[in-house]
Amino acid sequence: MELAVSLQRNKSAGRPRSTASEAAVIAATAELLKERPLRDLTIEEIARKAGVGKQTIYKWWNSKSAVALDAFCKTMLKEVEVPDTGSLLEDMARQLRSVTHFYKSKAGDAFRQFLAEAQSDEEFRRLFLKVFLKPRRDEVRVMWERAIERKEIAADTDPEIAMDNLYGPLIFRLMSGHGSLSENVTQQIAQNAFWGIATEKVHAAYRKRTSER
Amino acid sequence: MELAVSLQRNKSAGRPRSTASEAAVIAATAELLKERPLRDLTIEEIARKAGVGKQTIYKWWNSKSAVALDAFCKTMLKEVEVPDTGSLLEDMARQLRSVTHFYKSKAGDAFRQFLAEAQSDEEFRRLFLKVFLKPRRDEVRVMWERAIERKEIAADTDPEIAMDNLYGPLIFRLMSGHGSLSENVTQQIAQNAFWGIATEKVHAAYRKRTSER
Amino acid sequence: MELAVSLQRNKSAGRPRSTASEAAVIAATAELLKERPLRDLTIEEIARKAGVGKQTIYKWWNSKSAVALDAFCKTMLKEVEVPDTGSLLEDMARQLRSVTHFYKSKAGDAFRQFLAEAQSDEEFRRLFLKVFLKPRRDEVRVMWERAIERKEIAADTDPEIAMDNLYGPLIFRLMSGHGSLSENVTQQIAQNAFWGIATEKVHAAYRKRTSER
Amino acid sequence: MELAVSLQRNKSAGRPRSTASEAAVIAATAELLKERPLRDLTIEEIARKAGVGKQTIYKWWNSKSAVALDAFCKTMLKEVEVPDTGSLLEDMARQLRSVTHFYKSKAGDAFRQFLAEAQSDEEFRRLFLKVFLKPRRDEVRVMWERAIERKEIAADTDPEIAMDNLYGPLIFRLMSGHGSLSENVTQQIAQNAFWGIATEKVHAAYRKRTSER
DNA sequence: CTATAACCGAGACGGTACGTCAGGTCTTCGC
DNA sequence: GCGAAGACCTGACGTACCGTCTCGGTTATAG
């Protein structure tokens, strides 16, 4: 019980890390990240704004992207909503509404910056995957697992692919900007993804309740 | 940039634009783009490698991304294959195989770099959309228009969304690297996209030919 | 005749070196050098004060000491007075008075800084020797050559050693600060140096004119 | 610094100064000082090499030069040889031989570094004068006092100036590097200095023993 | 036998400067 | 007048030390 604590402390001599500095860096970075693209941040500016030495940043983070990701996770992130309405279509529609709201926010801008950054920094790609993307997907995956239990989708459905079917189109749309992300569009995407993965039985049930498509 | 140059102004005095320089810049950039991420290219290096003054580059292109995009379009791009098998599912499967091959090539790396770059450079995003993405989508759109004619999908289906359903998951997978892009996965994505947009009639016909999913 | 000139110019394309920048650097450095020891100058401060990029300084000079030496030679240096009174003793006494004046000035401070710098930078030591010390000694050497002609000193006297006998004590005094450099002291040093190198004949002649030492 | 410590205050509470740490600092510094110029030492490196906290160094010494001087005095210094042959010329020649040996050694390098350091640090200049230069000159001064007693030099000769006449040329030669310090040269310097300060009587006696110069 | 005090190592901190790199602009010459 | 060459100012890079500041711990004397 107490063990973890006492193992944690005392492990090193010397002046301990300044929580104030860390917080200042995170805060400054978060603020800057809302103002401009990640690419246009500089370590110097973060240090300046945080009132912190550059070395202090380099000591605790590997790159400005790592600082930014940390700031993002600590200040810009809200809980994922994982609806459980008993209907996959409904779940997906609701979920998509909520992630769309995220994607369109400042946080969503940051998210896309990170995805962009990952294209030229393999180490960061892994970090981003580990600290943000994977945990998020793990939370959301239950939506499909529940659908499998309810037999709405086939037992051998790969939730990973299901998720890509749902989120991929959205993200691509946002990144390329070739089309808008209106309510209408997101719902269409949700429906297509649903029809794409649901079983025939569910299709039939669904068709009963609505007019033929 | 680069467009509609020659017709209007053949009267101007002075030395004409050197086609050799332009070609050298394009070639050097293409080569560099195969070696490393766009972000890590520099105008100076391109100029050095091309044996060209920096100013010459700045004169004809707005940014290194613009040079790179130009180089990409002129040297790394092959015709899109737009299959016409008479079956949307088959068309989509084939198409996806061919774009997957593209995405996994050096050219695909470059494509993702451009998408990344667009996240921090709105002007470039528009350029990329105009000179690459839109033309491509225009070519591919006929696949869905043909499917509408064949009544495989509803008349009011938006091909834009259909395309996002098909390509979005792939691109997202590649960019985030959370999963592989095996033949198996791409075919699954194609199928899901197809089931997502095809009409009930087509679903039924398809089920006849295969065992129940 | 004209050859040297035409070889000099035209040798390179590109924007020529900015004389304004060079002058600004020299001026700024000279000013700073009067305010504080060479060691406490920084390239950054010079650049800042001169309104010049650091790179411009690094391009044309190897080190801050080199800049400082250049500034010193171009702005703080006056002609050496090489007296020719027909008497070595008189020449030496006058010369020493004038160099003492130099040593005690701001320029003399700088001179000692350079000598100090040379102790930890062999490359600079050679530079200093070449551009300042050797030319100066070459100018002054004639004093002893004339004395040799007049047979005041032996024909095989080494002027280098004679000069060290004259200037060495002064410089050491100034650097260590163990004693003052009053008129009295410098004249004593001059006399000792003179007696040390003059021939017996001259000693005798000199003794006739003055009371026995 | 470092002087007159123990006698006055044996009463104070608290942990006493660690002699081990002091010795380690001195040893590490001495070693480093043999490897590179004083300017290129850093407190951090000394602390690292000595296995000591930086603060411990700052507590007991004012600057790295002070540490170095301390290390120099405690480990690199040998007794000065003050010959007493009964002849000033002989004394000077021998002395100069021995100091030349010193100047050319690692210790001599350090000595010049200190003299150099003194040009940009007035406080250190005074310290160096007090703990090294003055004591040394005090020891050597008797050479001239004995010569005065023997009436080899005038009663009012200033030994300080005499010393400068002897050592100054050597030191300047070494610092500027404009000439070598061969046996031949040092003996010439010694002779010149001797002739410069000896009385006529001595000159005459000396001439009897040698051929006319 | 504590309590107090000074010391010590370790090492994090806010800074300043380093020397390098590239950006985007400018100026000159040769074609 | 175009284009190469290349110098210019700017500003960020990542590193090295500076001198200061906590920490946890150690070793003395004083009570």
Side-chain angles (χ1 to χ4, degrees), chain D residues 2-162:
Chain D
E2 263 306 283
L3 304 172
V5 170
S6 47
L7 295 172
Q8 287 307 72
R9 26 90 97 183
N10 281 338
K11 61 203 167 186
S12 80
R15 179 177 180 174
R17 176 173 183 182
S18 158
T19 53
S21 288
E22 183 186 354
V25 169
I26 294 298
T29 306
E31 211 164 319
L32 289 170
L33 202 52
K34 281 168 197 151
E35 292 171 14
R36 51 169 148 287
L38 170 56
R39 165 155 327 187
D40 298 346
L41 301 196
T42 67
I43 296 266
E44 298 222 322
E45 190 180 19
I46 294 172
R48 215 178 303 134
K49 191 178 175 98
V52 142
K54 276 200 288 180
Q55 202 65 282
T56 304
I57 297 179
Y58 282 113
K59 186 162 193 26
W60 301 108
W61 292 275
N62 282 335
S63 62
K64 76 170 173 192
S65 327
V67 186
L69 181 56
D70 205 359
F72 174 76
C73 291
K74 283 180 176 150
T75 72
M76 303 177 78
L77 231 42
K78 299 189 183 63
E79 279 295 289
V80 199
E81 187 195 353
V82 186
D84 187 6
T85 61
S87 152
L88 179 59
L89 177 58
E90 186 60 24
D91 281 3
M92 284 169 73
R94 290 201 183 185
Q95 235 273 310
L96 208 54
R97 217 180 321 254
S98 106
V99 303
T100 301
H101 185 258
F102 165 78
Y103 287 143
K104 284 175 155 176
S105 69
K106 293 276 184 195
D109 289 342
F111 167 78
R112 289 197 306 281
Q113 309 286 342
F114 291 134
L115 210 44
E117 182 70 15
Q119 304 316 302
S120 50
D121 182 344
E122 174 57 18
E123 185 180 335
F124 177 75
R125 211 214 79 233
R126 278 194 294 267
L127 179 67
F128 180 54
L129 202 56
K130 193 177 84 183
V131 309
F132 175 77
L133 211 55
K134 192 155 184 319
R136 282 279 167 137
R137 291 172 72 93
D138 288 344
E139 289 182 66
V140 172
R141 190 179 294 106
V142 305
M143 229 166 73
W144 280 271
E145 292 168 346
R146 285 197 283 251
I148 291 177
E149 280 176 33
R150 285 192 304 263
K151 299 202 194 313
E152 287 190 281
I153 57 177
D156 63 349
T157 302
D158 182 349
E160 295 300 322
I161 293 179

Side-chain angles (χ1 to χ4, degrees), chain A:
Chain A
M1 199 80 81
E2 290 272 34
L3 222 142
V5 172
S6 44
L7 280 176
Q8 197 70 2
R9 68 189 194 80
N10 287 1
K11 76 180 157 205
S12 74
R15 180 176 178 175
R17 177 171 183 182
S18 159
T19 53
S21 289
E22 184 183 355
V25 169
I26 294 297
T29 305
E31 211 163 319
L32 289 169
L33 202 51
K34 280 169 199 152
E35 291 171 15
R36 51 169 148 286
L38 171 56
R39 162 154 333 185
D40 298 347
L41 300 198
T42 67
I43 296 266
E44 297 222 324
E45 190 180 19
I46 294 172
R48 211 153 37 217
K49 191 177 175 99
V52 141
K54 273 199 289 179
Q55 210 61 295
T56 302
I57 298 180
Y58 283 113
K59 184 161 214 340
W60 301 108
W61 291 276
N62 282 335
S63 61
K64 75 170 175 194
S65 330
V67 186
L69 180 56
D70 203 0
F72 174 74
C73 290
K74 283 179 176 149
T75 73
M76 303 178 78
L77 231 42
K78 298 189 184 60
E79 280 294 288
V80 199
E81 185 194 353
V82 186
D84 186 8
T85 61
S87 151
L88 179 58
L89 176 60
E90 186 60 24
D91 281 1
M92 284 170 73
R94 289 205 184 182
Q95 235 273 311
L96 207 55
R97 215 183 322 255
S98 105
V99 303
T100 301
H101 186 258
F102 165 78
Y103 287 144
K104 284 175 154 174
S105 68
K106 293 276 183 194
D109 289 342
F111 168 79
R112 288 197 308 281
Q113 309 286 343
F114 291 134
L115 210 44
E117 182 70 14
Q119 304 315 303
S120 49
D121 182 344
E122 173 58 19
E123 185 180 334
F124 177 75
R125 211 215 80 232
R126 278 193 294 267
L127 180 67
F128 181 54
L129 201 56
K130 193 178 84 184
V131 310
F132 176 76
L133 212 55
K134 192 156 183 318
R136 282 280 167 136
R137 291 171 71 94
D138 287 345
E139 290 181 67
V140 172
R141 189 177 295 109
V142 305
M143 229 165 73
W144 281 270
E145 292 167 346
R146 285 197 282 250
I148 290 175
E149 281 176 33
R150 287 193 303 263
K151 302 203 190 313
E152 287 188 279
I153 57 179
D156 63 349
T157 302
D158 183 350
E160 296 300 322
I161 293 179
M163 284 189 271
D164 292 345
N165 264 295
L166 189 59
Y167 307 127
L170 247 66
I171 291 166
F172 178 48
R173 244 177 198 249
L174 270 165
M175 293 191 89
S176 67
H178 67 265
S180 70
L181 253 198
S182 65
E183 174 75 13
N184 192 31
V185 168
T186 62
Q187 291 309 315
Q188 190 61 46
I189 288 171
Q191 284 212 6
N192 286 355
F194 167 75
W195 284 91
I197 60 175
T199 59
E200 157 58 13
K201 203 174 302 186
V202 175
H203 285 182
Y206 184 76
R207 274 195 300 277
K208 266 185 209 147
R209 280 186 287 124
T210 62
S211 56
E212 173 72 36
R213 292 212 301 159

Side-chain angles (χ1 to χ4, degrees), chain B residues 96-175:
Chain B
L96 206 55
R97 216 182 322 256
S98 107
V99 304
T100 301
H101 185 259
F102 165 77
Y103 286 145
K104 284 176 154 175
S105 67
K106 294 276 182 194
D109 289 341
F111 168 77
R112 290 199 304 283
Q113 308 288 341
F114 291 133
L115 209 44
E117 182 70 15
Q119 303 316 302
S120 49
D121 182 345
E122 174 57 19
E123 184 181 335
F124 177 75
R125 211 214 78 235
R126 277 193 294 266
L127 179 67
F128 180 55
L129 202 55
K130 193 178 82 184
V131 309
F132 176 77
L133 211 55
K134 193 154 183 320
R136 282 279 167 138
R137 291 171 72 93
D138 287 345
E139 291 181 65
V140 171
R141 190 178 295 108
V142 305
M143 228 165 73
W144 281 270
E145 291 167 349
R146 286 196 281 250
I148 291 176
E149 281 176 31
R150 287 192 302 263
K151 300 203 189 320
E152 287 188 281
I153 58 178
D156 63 348
T157 302
D158 182 350
E160 296 300 322
I161 292 179
M163 284 187 271
D164 292 345
N165 263 296
L166 188 59
Y167 308 127
L170 246 66
I171 292 168
F172 178 48
R173 245 180 195 244
L174 271 165
M175 293 192 90

